Amino acid sequence: CLCLAALVVSGCGNQWKARRADAAFQQALAQNDLIGERNALLKLTNADEDVSEYWTRLAKVELELGSYGGAYQHLARAHELDRTDIATLSMMTELAVINGRLDLADMHLKELLVIAPSDRAVAVARGFDALREGNYEKAQANATILPTQSPNDSIGNVLQTRI
């Protein structure tokens, strides 16, 4: 009986911490305070570690702060919690490519080919893999699939310039 009461109190404590952290996150978001967002999201994931969306949002903040390793770790946790989230897997694939971890990119590519074969990260991973192998024709074919005309598609532009 005492154990059950402790579990209930602990659960309520975590819900309270999660609500406080979410409020702090919303405030930091409104103020465009990336460090505040990261701190609040760290508290939020600590209070409620089984919500993949929190981990994905934390990864996006880490990316904005330039912490690619931290972003990848948070995405990996989100992916553990939700293996069907194509956007998370796609971001993990692209981050692996950016960091030169083509072994990880290839592993994620295999998953993407099963659940989302037309995802742009497939072309990114295949393009950089072909480039590494010296197969410029194949790299170019994958690069043309990417919307390289868009200034926001920096990884596509990087692939295009390296060919």
Side-chain angles (χ1 to χ4, degrees):
C1 192
L2 194 56
C3 290
L4 181 60
L7 283 173
V8 170
V9 170
S10 173
C12 291
N14 281 346
Q15 286 178 352
W16 181 78
K17 287 178 187 176
R19 275 191 242 131
R20 261 187 55 190
D22 185 53
F25 169 71
Q26 296 302 328
Q27 182 179 8
L29 186 63
Q31 295 173 346
N32 224 3
D33 175 11
L34 287 175
I35 300 297
E37 286 179 44
R38 178 174 59 187
N39 292 338
L41 285 165
L42 285 169
K43 289 177 183 175
L44 188 57
T45 55
N46 189 37
D48 196 354
E49 63 184 34
D50 294 330
V51 180
S52 65
E53 291 84 10
Y54 297 162
W55 292 101
T56 302
R57 182 63 190 137
L58 179 55
K60 289 177 181 178
V61 170
E62 292 286 7
L63 279 174
E64 288 185 65
L65 291 169
S67 175
Y68 298 119
Y72 185 86
Q73 288 177 340
H74 300 315
L75 287 169
R77 177 65 179 139
H79 186 58
E80 285 176 21
L81 295 169
D82 183 1
R83 296 252 178 220
T84 63
D85 187 343
I86 295 166
T88 296
L89 186 56
S90 182
M91 282 190 288
M92 288 174 66
T93 305
E94 290 190 28
L95 269 176
V97 167
I98 289 168
N99 288 311
R101 293 292 312 270
L102 296 181
D103 56 326
L104 285 175
D106 189 51
M107 182 179 74
H108 300 316
L109 173 62
K110 289 174 183 167
E111 284 185 70
L112 272 173
L113 286 170
V114 172
I115 62 173
S118 62
D119 189 85
R120 68 179 297 286
V122 170
V124 168
R126 283 183 169 166
F128 276 93
D129 194 42
L131 189 62
R132 181 189 61 166
E133 293 172 352
N135 188 339
Y136 299 108
E137 197 172 297
K138 185 177 175 185
Q140 182 64 46
N142 281 287
T144 56
I145 294 170
L146 300 170
T148 55
Q149 305 87 327
S150 169
N152 295 333
D153 187 17
S154 58
I155 196 165
N157 290 331
V158 168
L159 177 60
Q160 190 69 38
T161 57
R162 289 190 181 176
I163 296 175

